[in-house]
Amino acid sequence: MSRAFVRESEGGEAFEDLPDRPISPHQNLVTPQGLAQIDAMIEDLRQRLAQAQEAEDKGEVARVSRDLRYWAHRKSTAEPVPDPTDFSQVRFGSRVTFVREDGRSQTYRIVGEDEADPAKGSISYVSPLAQALLGKQVGDEIAVAQTEAEIVRIE
C-alpha cells in the first residue's frame, strides 16, 4: 500500500509524506555569495520548522523538513570558489557580456546550480550557455540559440 498520503488517526487533514528533493550529480561549486545564501536558507528553514512544530502543522513540518535536509546536504557538499580576480578568460564567478548577431547585448554571471536565476542575470556553470562561455576570452565567438555571439566584456 502506498504511503504517499497519510490521514491522521484523529481524522485530521491528510498530508503528503514528501520524498527528498533530488540532488544534482554535479560538483557543488558555490560563490561566496551562494554559500551565504545557503546559510541564510538553512537558518530560515530552522525557524520555520520550529514554528510548524509549535503549531503542530504536520504538513508544514514535512515540507520544511524535506527542504532543510536538501539545504543541509548542499551546505555539507559545497565547494566555495573565490570570486575571480583574473578577467583574461571566463571562469566560474565571472560576469560575461556578449552581443548577439541581432545587436542584443546580454550579461550573465556564472554561478553554482542553486544560485542560478537567469531572470536576474545568473546562470549555472553546468548550463549549456555557461559551458560555451567557460575558458573563452573577449573577442571570442560562441554559439547561442542557433546564432553567434561575441564576448565583449568579462568582469
Side-chain angles (χ1 to χ4, degrees), residues 18-102:
L18 301 173
D20 282 339
R21 290 176 59 178
I23 302 290
S24 170
H26 302 285
Q27 221 177 338
N28 187 14
L29 302 179
V30 296
T31 65
Q33 300 81 8
L35 190 55
Q37 288 174 354
I38 291 172
D39 288 336
M41 182 64 72
I42 289 171
E43 182 57 33
D44 177 62
L45 288 167
R46 285 182 177 148
Q47 290 175 8
R48 288 178 47 202
L49 180 59
Q51 291 168 350
Q53 288 171 331
E54 188 175 314
E56 298 181 10
D57 183 342
K58 294 188 190 248
E60 182 69 356
V61 167
R63 286 185 292 279
V64 173
S65 293
R66 175 197 56 186
D67 290 347
L68 188 54
R69 285 190 304 274
Y70 174 83
W71 288 108
H73 181 271
R74 296 303 278 174
K75 167 83 175 179
S76 73
T77 61
E79 297 178 38
V81 177
D83 288 332
T85 56
D86 176 5
F87 305 110
S88 63
Q89 69 178 5
V90 179
R91 20 183 132 264
F92 184 89
S94 294
R95 186 174 318 281
V96 185
T97 302
F98 55 90
V99 178
R100 294 176 179 252
E101 288 178 342
D102 63 6

Side-chain angles (χ1 to χ4, degrees), residues 3 8 10 27 35 42 62 65 86 103 126 132 135 137 140 149 154:
R3 293 195 40 88
E8 293 290 301
E10 304 86 46
Q27 221 177 338
L35 190 55
I42 289 171
S65 293
D86 176 5
V126 299
Q137 301 176 340
D140 286 351
I154 302 170

